[in-house]
Each structure stands twice: as structure tokens, then as C-alpha cells.
Amino acid sequence: MSAISTHHAGCACHLHRRHFLGGAAALSAATALPSFAQAQGPSLIDTHHHFYPPQYQKAWLDWDDARKLPHYPQQIAWTRDGAVAEMDRAGIRTAILSVPSTPGVWFDQGPDAAAKMVQICNDYAAQMMRDYPGRFGLFATLSMLDIDTTLKEIEYALDTLKADGIGLQSNYGDKWLGHPFFKPVLEELNRRKTVVYVHPLVAACCGNLSVGTFPAVIEVPHDTTRTITSLLLSGTLARQRDITWLFSHAGGTIPMMAGRIDSFYGKSPKAAEFAPAGIFGELARLYYDTANATFAPTMAALLKLVPVSQITYGTDYPYFPLDQNVSLSQAELSPEDLKAIESGNAMRLLPRLHA
């Protein structure tokens, strides 16, 4: 099939995100306390954890240089051993690896180059899983630019590499995941009963809508809302019932927008077709991670939308600190609910983690 457009206006997000988040990551590295891990042993499971294979790292730095963008220090400094050391300090037993969202895996070089980079990244992550038994899992990335190629990538990732699931971006070339172009891919993931993790990025349409702030602050969480709404209203969530969805950053702005979506579409004559469980019911079936979303108001909104059973611990490492259980404790959760978010729900979602 033909490739979709690979143009993304992510440069502004890429630039400003680094200035903002570099300090947060550096602060985390300087202040992370080992007391949790020393007292109990690593027990947290991080479902939102990025990594940088050398070839991917070089391609990204070259991509930055071509656009005169500064490099993110924590990205350059990232190493496999360093990631494990940070996990030990933060009490994280296992981290599920995924590729960062911007600039994806294609670097404006087309489907063939993207497919090559996909294999490099997935093979590298699989090697990390072998070299550090029990410490890493994988949400394998896909190129998504050519359907036939992408279907082969799914087969290799799940059958050969034994990935825990698939990692997708919220949009590709301004096509969100409910777009008909992606139907064959999602049908295959549904057939395989796959866990699909979704990470947002700034869409090409909207990088200049930042009203003076970093695009990552507003547009990234909004793009999660766009793709969830796309999946909902297109009927994809209703049709592909055997995909288990996990969304980043507490679902972006979905907890605040759910009622508004319901007020517009909940009483639609076709609502039973695209939302057989109702708008709120469909949204409550999804999973959401806590990456950069453990603030009391955010967690309160999320917990009004979904049960505790649908929330997993996520950090967005190395962009945000690994020790987010400190602020998560402010959500006034019971010890049982806190443990479920910190590890129990992820183990239910990804049974291999029980081992």
C-alpha cells in the first residue's frame, strides 16, 4: 500500500521540550533517593520508559543538527547500564521499553529507511531484555508508513522477538489511529489480542498553537485525546475488541473532555455502533499510565473516569523523573490501590512480568 505523508511539525516541540525537561531529568538524577529500593527491593513496573540504540541516537542527532536544534543532554548521556542504575535507585523492578515519539523512526527518509530503523530499535531492545533478565520488556515500534511492511514488522516483533506488545504514536502524518488507512494493522493486532501502547506527539497541524508555551505542554496531551476520540467515533474501539489499549500521561485531556464528548455523541442514533458500552464505558475500558500525571488534580480526574484497575505506573524516562511514586502518594490511595498502580495492574496486563 502507499505510504502516508511523513511530514511532522515536531521541531518546535523537540527544541523547547529539551530546555524544559533537561532540568527535570537532571534534578531527578541528583536527588533520587535509594531508600525505597533498599527497604523493599525494586518492585515498581514502569510501562513508559524510552531507550536509544546507537544508530537511532546518531540519526536523531543528525536530524537535530540539520534543523539547528540543540541536543538534549540526558538523551546523549543515556546508557543501558545507567538506565538500570537509575531504576535501582528509584525502586523500579522492570521497565517496558518504547521508542520516543519525536521524530519517530523515519527521519523524513521514507518507508524503507523507517522499516530498517524499526528493526534496529526492536532488535536492540530485545538484546537488552536478554542482557538484563527480568529488568526490561518491550512495546515494539512499527513504521506504519506502508501497511504490508508494517504487518511483517508485527509478525517479527511478536513471534520472533516475543515483545510484550506494540507501541504506536498518536498520529502519523496527521492521520490519527482511527483513520481507515490503519484498519489492516489494527485488525491484525486485534486478531493477536495485542497490548497496544500509544505515545503522543505534536501533530503537524498544531505545532504553532502553543500560545507562548512549549508545544509539549498543551499539544502533546491534546493529541492523545485526538487519537482516543478518533478510535472511539470511528468505531475502532467497538470493532477491535481484543486489543488492550494503554495510553500515556493519564489519557492526556480525556478525563476532562469525556463529559463533553458524551454530551455531543452519547445520544447519537448510532451510539450503539461505535460505543456499545456508552461513551464513559468505552473510555473506562482503556488503560492509562501515570507519566507526568501524578498531580493530585490529574489523578482525581482520572480516578473519576476509570477504576484503579486501569492505571499503570509510568515515568517517561529520561524526560521525567523515575521516582514519581513520591507524588503519586499524594493521590490519597489505599495501600492496595497504590500497589495495584505501582505493579499489580501491569502484571495483569503483561502476564510475563509475573516471572
Side-chain angles (χ1 to χ4, degrees), residues 168-253:
L168 299 179
Q169 295 181 182
S170 55
N171 80 76
Y172 297 84
D174 281 351
K175 287 182 174 66
W176 285 266
L177 294 179
H179 194 281
F181 181 85
F182 304 121
K183 184 178 179 182
V185 172
L186 298 184
E187 286 178 338
E188 175 62 8
L189 295 175
N190 185 72
R191 185 185 72 82
R192 289 174 170 268
K193 298 178 170 58
T194 311
V195 175
V196 176
Y197 161 74
V198 180
H199 195 288
L201 70 164
V202 177
C205 68
C206 306
N208 294 323
L209 300 181
S210 303
V211 296
T213 188
F214 314 132
V217 175
I218 296 174
E219 282 307 312
V220 163
H222 275 310
D223 213 59
T224 292
T225 299
R226 290 187 186 102
T227 212
I228 291 175
T229 305
S230 167
L231 289 165
L232 172 69
L233 299 183
S234 67
T236 304
L237 295 181
R239 289 192 302 271
Q240 315 304 346
R241 224 51 175 171
D242 289 327
I243 291 177
T244 302
W245 297 94
L246 170 61
F247 292 92
S248 304
H249 313 127
T253 57

Side-chain angles (χ1 to χ4, degrees), residues 6 23 136 164 220 278:
T6 62
F136 294 106
D164 297 279
V220 163

Side-chain angles (χ1 to χ4, degrees), residues 23 44 101 109 126 142 151 165 171 175 197 208 250 268 270 286 329 339 354-355:
L44 298 169
S101 61
Q109 296 182 22
L142 303 176
L151 293 175
N171 80 76
K175 287 182 174 66
Y197 161 74
N208 294 323
S268 166
K270 295 185 178 180
L286 310 177
S329 65
K339 185 175 181 180
H354 281 286

Side-chain angles (χ1 to χ4, degrees), residues 10-342:
C11 298
C13 172
H14 196 58
L15 171 62
H16 296 298
R17 179 183 173 94
R18 293 182 175 191
H19 288 297
F20 176 68
L21 300 180
L27 179 63
S28 171
T31 62
L33 299 176
S35 57
F36 183 91
Q38 288 177 344
Q40 303 182 35
S43 62
L44 298 169
I45 296 175
D46 181 4
T47 61
H48 188 147
H49 194 102
H50 299 303
F51 71 106
Y52 307 88
Q55 298 97 319
Y56 180 87
Q57 182 85 289
K58 182 180 185 305
W60 192 344
L61 296 178
D62 290 347
W63 190 86
D64 282 349
D65 290 339
R67 291 157 181 79
K68 296 181 171 55
L69 299 175
H71 302 314
Y72 176 46
Q74 270 63 34
Q75 173 197 339
I76 297 173
W78 181 92
T79 65
R80 304 186 325 160
D81 289 343
V84 173
E86 287 298 310
M87 289 164 59
D88 288 342
R89 277 191 283 271
I92 293 176
R93 184 188 68 149
T94 303
I96 311 302
L97 300 168
S98 57
V99 171
S101 61
T102 301
V105 294
W106 49 87
F107 301 101
D108 301 328
Q109 296 182 22
D112 291 343
K116 181 178 180 181
M117 187 61 73
V118 161
Q119 182 161 354
I120 288 171
C121 290
N122 290 340
D123 284 347
Y124 187 87
Q127 188 62 49
M128 287 180 65
M129 293 167 65
R130 291 190 290 269
D131 290 346
Y132 302 89
R135 302 311 303 273
F136 294 106
L138 172 61
F139 290 137
T141 192
L142 303 176
S143 59
M144 298 292 281
L145 305 181
D146 177 87
I147 295 300
D148 292 337
T149 299
T150 301
L151 293 175
K152 293 176 182 177
E153 292 167 353
I154 292 171
E155 181 180 12
Y156 179 73
L158 298 181
D159 295 345
T160 300
L161 299 184
K162 307 299 182 183
D164 297 279
I166 293 295
L168 299 179
Q169 295 181 182
S170 55
N171 80 76
Y172 297 84
D174 281 351
K175 287 182 174 66
W176 285 266
L177 294 179
H179 194 281
F181 181 85
F182 304 121
K183 184 178 179 182
V185 172
L186 298 184
E187 286 178 338
E188 175 62 8
L189 295 175
N190 185 72
R191 185 185 72 82
R192 289 174 170 268
K193 298 178 170 58
T194 311
V195 175
V196 176
Y197 161 74
V198 180
H199 195 288
L201 70 164
V202 177
C205 68
C206 306
N208 294 323
L209 300 181
S210 303
V211 296
T213 188
F214 314 132
V217 175
I218 296 174
E219 282 307 312
V220 163
H222 275 310
D223 213 59
T224 292
T225 299
R226 290 187 186 102
T227 212
I228 291 175
T229 305
S230 167
L231 289 165
L232 172 69
L233 299 183
S234 67
T236 304
L237 295 181
R239 289 192 302 271
Q240 315 304 346
R241 224 51 175 171
D242 289 327
I243 291 177
T244 302
W245 297 94
L246 170 61
F247 292 92
S248 304
H249 313 127
T253 57
I254 275 291
M256 293 297 296
M257 297 294 293
R260 187 170 178 85
I261 295 169
D262 181 69
S263 70
F264 276 87
Y265 294 98
K267 294 182 173 58
S268 166
K270 295 185 178 180
E273 298 176 18
F274 62 80
I279 300 295
F280 287 105
E282 294 298 327
L283 298 177
R285 292 179 60 251
L286 310 177
Y287 284 79
Y288 305 86
D289 76 34
T290 65
N292 194 34
T294 55
F295 319 107
T298 308
M299 290 301 298
L302 180 61
L303 287 165
K304 288 293 185 180
L305 179 65
V306 306
V308 167
S309 63
Q310 304 305 108
I311 303 173
T312 68
Y313 185 86
T315 68
D316 213 344
Y317 179 81
Y319 301 106
F320 286 99
L322 280 168
D323 57 345
Q324 293 184 33
N325 57 310
V326 175
S327 55
L328 184 61
S329 65
Q330 299 173 3
E332 299 182 353
L333 295 161
S334 69
E336 294 78 14
D337 286 347
L338 186 60
K339 185 175 181 180
I341 292 174
E342 290 180 337

